[in-house]
Amino acid sequence: MPQRLEGLRRPVRAGRALLAIPIAWIVAVSVIDILAPPNIHLGPLLVAAPAITPLFGGPRTVGLVAALAVIAQTTIGLVRDPDEMLSANHQAQIIALVLVGTSLVIFCVLRDRRAKVLAQVRYVSEAAQRVVLPPLPKEIGPLRVASLYLAAEAEAQIGGDLYAAARTTSGTRLIVGDVRGKGMTAVNDAALLLGAFRVAAHRQASLGELVTYLDRSVCWDLMEPGEVSCYGETFITANILDIPDGGGRVQVVACGHPPPVVLRDGRPMTMEALHPAPPLGLGELAHPRYHVDSFQFEPGDLLLLYTDGVTEARDSTGTFYPLAERITGWTENDPDAFLGRFRRDLLHHVGGHLNDDAAMIAIERPATPRA
């Protein structure tokens, strides 16, 4: 809270300091205009003072500067020639200053209102994300975990990518997925799947049975009211994993989702599924038998789960982000440090802005078990 308050005070202090610029301009123009020959009139330059003030000030500050400009213009006319105050030219300059100042004050009021609305939208969006997609705990059983979500829509801060984790008596189950589509519909679909996963993941069912339940949940939850068939256009790609506490092989069911990557001593290994399944929500079409693949996840390894917003991120030339190539040689074992570097490298590749949401999870199985 103190840091947030300090961050709010800084723009106020900067605005007060910058206020000296238009005031100094008004003083300089007034003095030069008074001392200038009678045939030289610099009064119209006073309009620059209120014109630049909205860059750093609010309605009151703009109104103050505009009022000072009007006073300065009036003072110039009185000092140079009192009769000049009655001239149409001088009155037109004063009226122009009043109109410009009034317009700028109205502009600042509307701008500030829009900024408040945008801030409220961002606050609601961030609150919704914390409810629908809270960050994963730093420690889940024997595992160290870090999660990161990068939304393509800066104002939204939330989209259709998803992840969650649940503890069982023998290990940790995770899901990472991507809803087809964008906007609030995708957010709603992601929330439905996450709710189904959190309800069922802790049960003593096999991984294949869990995926069957999730597929049916997605199929029925995404059915439109009045439909008699659940074969819609919406589906969710996902990887569902079961990581045992005591070491051994990680079980995974891949439902049309990009494969996990294991980083071992700086060497990335892509764990392609031997028996991939269709995305969740399409299982009734293919009637799949969910085959469980497995791969080794040894102490000291780092497991990276991600969505296609990562691998399909393009640079200015249209080149996709080469995930395995970019992380080759990375030796960060700490998940937070790894994702921090990963985020910087990904945003550098795309020039600072993603065209699609991206979610990432880094998981480490420590080489030395914690006491």
Side-chain angles (χ1 to χ4, degrees), residues 197-213:
F197 176 81
R198 289 165 181 150
V199 167
H202 66 280
R203 298 176 182 174
Q204 299 305 308
S206 67
L207 199 61
E209 293 171 337
L210 172 61
V211 178
T212 300
Y213 170 80

Side-chain angles (χ1 to χ4, degrees), residues 253-343:
V253 175
C255 300
H257 199 75
V261 173
V262 173
L263 192 64
R264 181 176 300 160
D265 298 325
R267 294 180 293 106
M269 296 171 286
T270 303
M271 303 302 170
E272 298 283 356
L274 298 177
H275 307 284
L280 299 175
L282 300 180
E284 292 293 332
L285 289 174
H287 299 287
R289 294 181 58 188
Y290 290 105
H291 296 274
V292 178
D293 293 299
S294 65
F295 58 86
Q296 197 68 29
F297 182 38
E298 300 176 354
D301 289 350
L302 195 71
L303 173 62
L304 178 63
L305 309 175
Y306 55 95
T307 60
D308 60 8
V310 173
T311 51
E312 294 181 2
R314 298 173 182 263
D315 63 10
S316 58
T317 65
T319 304
F320 289 120
Y321 181 76
L323 174 60
E325 176 184 331
R326 297 298 283 259
I327 66 174
T328 298
W330 291 15
T331 57
E332 288 88 350
N333 288 329
D334 179 73
D336 284 311
F338 179 87
L339 282 191
R341 181 176 178 180
F342 192 95
R343 178 182 184 276

